[in-house]
Amino acid sequence: MALICVINPNTSRSMTETIGQAARAVAAPGTTVVAVNPTMGPASIESHYDEALAVPGLLEQIALHPGADGFVVACFGDPGLDAARELATAPVIGIAEAAMHTATLVGRGFSVVTTLSRTAGRALDLVHRYGFSQACLGIHACEIPVLDLETPEARKAVVQACRAAMERDGSDSVVLGCAGMADFCHEISLEIGIPVIDGVTAAVKLAEGLAALGLRTSKRLEYGTPPAKKYTGLLAGYTRP
Ligand code: 2AL
């Protein structure tokens, strides 16, 4: 029995519902998925500014769910992942991290298909950070803003972008670069004929696996609980006693 808390770090409730449905669809019978989003922060995350301002709300949600056996940060920029690991005792998995690791288990080279081209730099930073510089063969944008992903035209454009990325890069799999693409991952895979990996579902299965293995984030050094510190102004509530 595991309780997995999936946090959409943006404030769009309908996107949280989509993410929660995708997460529940893959969860094991004994797993409970709680899908939440902060009440403060950006409606969608597609710039460094959005990412920075999404982190306080994300950390608030981590603190509000002390009983979780695992957390998923459901935004492809993996915002606040290190800080969330310091704060939580249960493991915290970012969806970019989960998707990239999973892609390299089912093929050698992967392409990333993200939303706007301005998010490609962050995706590239994460590719390097996670050690996938050789496995990632290209990062491509479909130029659809996060909150427009639900329309049928947008979905068609994402499928086209995935097919073009696969052909151009010669990749074995495609990693979807936004949590808002979670619900049509399977559909895209059927269309283009190679594995398509959505980080939300991959992260849920990894979180379940870590819980089953009894593994938690090491608190020994860098991810130790943040020290006592006074925070002021709008962040006064984040003071560490
Ligand atoms: C995302 C995502 O996953 N959620 C969000 O708000 N923005 N990613 C992206 N590449 O735009």
Side-chain angles (χ1 to χ4, degrees):
M1 295 291 275
L3 173 63
I4 310 287
C5 181
V6 179
I7 306 172
N8 168 21
N10 77 41
T11 57
S12 296
R13 191 64 220 156
S14 70
M15 191 162 155
T16 306
E17 271 156 29
T18 301
I19 289 168
Q21 270 169 21
R24 283 185 198 100
V26 297
T31 299
T32 303
V33 170
V34 179
V36 295
N37 59 261
T39 52
M40 64 173 172
S44 65
I45 301 167
E46 43 204 8
S47 66
H48 295 291
Y49 184 82
D50 292 340
E51 264 201 22
L53 292 176
V55 173
L58 165 80
L59 296 178
E60 183 184 33
Q61 290 302 315
I62 298 267
L64 285 172
H65 295 89
D69 299 297
F71 291 95
V72 173
V73 177
C75 171
F76 200 78
D78 289 356
L81 184 60
D82 290 315
R85 283 197 175 128
E86 290 178 330
L87 202 56
T89 50
V92 185
I93 301 175
I95 65 167
E97 183 180 41
M100 291 179 200
H101 278 88
T102 304
T104 60
L105 301 175
V106 295
R108 182 179 284 265
F110 65 83
S111 303
V112 175
V113 171
T114 184
T115 53
L116 304 180
S117 46
R118 65 179 302 153
T119 68
R122 175 68 180 160
L124 184 61
D125 287 349
L126 295 179
V127 163
H128 294 316
R129 174 177 168 187
Y130 299 142
F132 296 123
S133 308
Q134 288 199 335
C136 179
L137 303 178
I139 300 174
H140 309 266
C142 57
E143 304 304 354
I144 297 164
V146 174
L147 298 181
D148 290 351
L149 278 171
E150 283 172 14
T151 66
E153 305 80 60
R155 288 175 175 232
K156 246 186 237 161
V158 174
V159 174
Q160 270 170 16
C162 289
R163 193 191 302 282
M166 166 185 83
E167 284 167 0
R168 189 170 342 148
D169 297 343
S171 49
D172 300 304
S173 70
V174 174
V175 162
L176 299 178
C178 181
M181 299 173 182
D183 58 328
F184 55 119
C185 172
H186 187 61
E187 195 181 309
I188 304 170
S189 184
L190 288 178
E191 285 267 350
I192 69 171
I194 62 172
V196 174
I197 298 120
D198 148 59
V200 174
T201 46
V204 166
K205 298 314 284 181
L206 288 172
E208 277 182 345
L210 293 179
L213 292 168
L215 288 171
R216 299 171 86 78
T217 303
S218 171
K219 292 281 147 186
R220 181 164 175 251
L221 295 167
E222 186 172 333
Y223 290 137
T225 305
K229 190 151 309 170
K230 187 172 179 192
Y231 281 71
T232 53
L234 283 177
L235 297 180
Y238 289 78
T239 291
R240 309 273 314 153

